[in-house]
Amino acid sequence: MSRWGRVIAALAALIAAPLAAAESADSPPTQPIEFLLTGHFQLRIHGEKDPDAKIYVATGQATVLVLSDRLRRPVLLTAREKTAQALEPEALTPDPKDSDRLVVDPSRTLGQPLVAKVSGGRLSFVAAGKRVIIEPADPWLGDATAEEILARLPEQRRAARVYTPRLGQMRLLARNERQLRMLVFLGSWCPHCERLIPRLIRVLEDLGDKAPEATFHLVPRSIVDDLTARQYGVEGVPTVILFEGDEEIARLTGDELKRPELSLARVLFAD
Amino acid sequence: MGREETITLSLPSSLAYLDAVQGMAELLACTAGFDEEARLDVGLAVREGAINAIKHGNRLDPAKSVCIEFRLTAGVLKIAIRDEGAGFEPQLTPDPTTPENLWRSSGRGLLLIRSLVNEVHFRRHDPGMELILIKSRPADGQRDEEAS
C-alpha cells in the first residue's frame, strides 16, 4: 500500500472505530480548523473522477474537507465524529494571502451528519443521493514543465515557496555560460520527490534565463514500466540527469538534491 | 568552546584520502557548533582545497605532503591547507566562467570554495602555497549573507 493509501487507511481506521467510542468521544469540534489544499487524494462521484474537486487536509488532525460543485456543499470528514458533515458555504474563510489555505468553522453545519464507510483504502459516503469516494490520487505520468508541476501539485508548490537556495552557489551558477539541459525524473506519488523536487524548481526559477532547460518526466510507481526511465537507466526517483549537448555530464539522485544549487555548483565548478 | 584548539593533519599527495579529509572537516565543524548545512560547506570547501593542493600544488608527487590545520574557536573555524608545490599567483588564476576557459578544470574549485566559506586567503611559502579558509557560524537570519 502506498504512503497515502496508508494515510487513508489510518483515517479510515479512526472513522471505522467502534460506535461505543464515538458515543464517548468529545463533542464535535467547534474551534476553527486550518486546512491546506492537497494533491494526494482525488474524488469520485458515482465512480467518475471529479478533476475539479478540491480536497484539503487539516493541519495536525485527521480531518478532510471536500469541495466539489457536484456536491453543492462543502463536506467535512472528521475522525472524531466518524462522519461526513455538510457545511454552510459561509463556514469557509479563504486566506487572501494563500490560495491553498482555508479556515473552517466546523460548527456551521447543514443537516444531519452522514455515515462514512471504509473499503479497500477508500473512504466513501453518500451525499445528495450520490456515492462519493475519496481515494489516493492516480499517479501523474509523462512530461511536464516546472510550472505545470507547481500548478497541479499543491504540496510541491508550497515546498518550493519556502525553500531558500544559498546565495553563494546561486551567484556561482548565475555565472555559468555552458549550454546545459536537464531531464528530471520524479513521481507524483513519491514523498522524496515532494520534498526535493520543489527545491530544484526553486533554484531553476531563481536562476531565470541562466537555468538549464529542464524537462520533468513523471513515472509510475513501477519505474521499470516507464520507457523513458528504462532508456536512461533510471531505477529510482528523484533522479536528475544533466546534459551538455547530447552528452550526459552528471546524474544527481536522492539527497544530492537536498541542496540542488550546491550539487549543480559542484558539477560545474569542482576541480 | 572557550579556548582555541588546533588540530593538524598531514597526508600524502593522494586523492585516496579526500573522503577522510572531508569527514574530519565536517566532524570538527560539528565540534565548533556549526549546523548541518554549514558542516557540509566546510567539508566540501576543505575537500576542494585539498584537491587543489594535491593535484595542482604537489602535482600528485608522492614524495610531497599536504598539511591541513584546523583552528577552532567559538563560532569560527579557520582552516589552512598547505602544499609543497611551486605556488601560483591567485590573481592570475583564469576565470573558469569565461567562454575561453569553459573546458579548463583549473580554477573551478576556487570559485566553489569561495561560495562555501566566508573568507579565502592565500599565503606564499618557500616552497609551497597556503590556502586559508575562514568559516563563521552565522547569526540567526544571516545564513545567506555568509557565502557572498
Side-chain angles (χ1 to χ4, degrees), chain A residues 44-174:
Chain A
R44 282 186 193 277
I45 299 176
H46 279 324
E48 189 183 326
K49 202 154 66 175
D50 180 355
D52 299 322
K54 290 185 171 179
I55 300 176
Y56 295 78
V57 291
T59 52
Q61 298 182 42
T63 305
V64 175
L65 176 73
V66 180
L67 302 184
S68 166
D69 288 344
R70 295 177 63 189
L71 294 177
R72 295 199 302 272
R73 299 277 182 260
V75 177
L76 185 72
L77 292 118
T78 63
R80 193 162 53 180
E81 291 296 292
K82 302 162 186 69
T83 55
Q85 173 67 61
L87 297 175
E88 294 175 14
E90 293 75 22
L92 278 53
T93 306
D95 184 338
K97 293 179 181 169
D98 184 351
S99 59
D100 283 1
R101 185 175 171 273
L102 283 177
V103 175
V104 171
D105 178 353
S107 66
R108 301 188 70 167
T109 58
L110 275 176
Q112 293 301 307
L114 307 165
V115 177
K117 292 182 181 174
V118 175
S119 172
R122 295 173 173 187
L123 196 61
S124 65
F125 57 94
V126 177
K130 297 167 182 160
R131 181 171 163 75
V132 181
I133 296 174
I134 299 168
E135 60 186 7
D138 292 336
W140 176 14
L141 305 177
D143 288 350
T145 64
E147 293 76 18
E148 288 168 336
I149 287 171
L150 296 189
R152 186 159 158 183
L153 302 176
E155 280 82 4
Q156 300 228 10
R157 176 164 66 238
R158 290 194 292 272
R161 209 182 291 156
V162 298
Y163 183 64
T164 306
R166 298 290 290 271
L167 205 53
Q169 283 92 58
M170 291 299 285
R171 285 179 179 157
L172 203 50
L173 291 173

Side-chain angles (χ1 to χ4, degrees), chain A residues 174-247:
Chain A
R175 295 175 66 179
N176 174 57
E177 296 290 342
R178 293 164 72 176
Q179 297 298 311
L180 305 173
R181 68 185 172 89
M182 186 181 274
L183 181 55
V184 183
F185 289 86
L186 71 155
S188 62
W189 44 269
C190 160
H192 300 297
C193 302
E194 187 173 289
R195 187 168 58 93
L196 300 174
I197 294 298
R199 299 175 180 211
L200 176 66
I201 291 176
R202 179 61 189 267
V203 167
L204 297 175
E205 280 183 344
D206 286 3
L207 284 174
D209 60 4
K210 288 288 184 179
E213 178 192 328
T215 300
F216 292 79
H217 184 74
L218 294 113
V219 300
R221 287 188 177 86
S222 174
I223 299 174
V224 291
D225 293 339
D226 187 89
L227 187 64
T228 310
R230 278 210 309 273
Q231 183 187 340
Y232 287 96
V234 171
E235 296 176 342
V237 286
T239 294
V240 175
I241 307 178
L242 202 59
F243 297 92
E244 187 159 21
D246 291 332
E247 184 192 357

Side-chain angles (χ1 to χ4, degrees), chain A residues 163-169 171-172 175-178 244 247 258-259 262 265-266 268-271, chain B residues 36-37 40-41 44 48 52 56 95 97 102-103 105-106 108-109 111-112 115-116 143-144 146-148:
Chain A
Y163 183 64
T164 306
R166 298 290 290 271
L167 205 53
Q169 283 92 58
R171 285 179 179 157
L172 203 50
R175 295 175 66 179
N176 174 57
E177 296 290 342
R178 293 164 72 176
E244 187 159 21
E247 184 192 357
K258 203 170 165 187
R259 279 174 60 185
L262 176 56
R266 286 189 75 189
L268 296 174
F269 294 101
D271 252 335
Chain B
E36 186 186 346
E37 289 200 1
L40 183 60
D41 289 346
L44 287 173
E48 284 300 319
N52 277 344
H56 305 304
D95 181 348
T97 63
L102 283 182
W103 297 99
S105 65
S106 179
R108 295 184 192 286
L111 276 180
L112 183 60
S115 82
L116 293 166
R143 194 187 70 173
D144 283 313
E146 69 183 30
S148 55

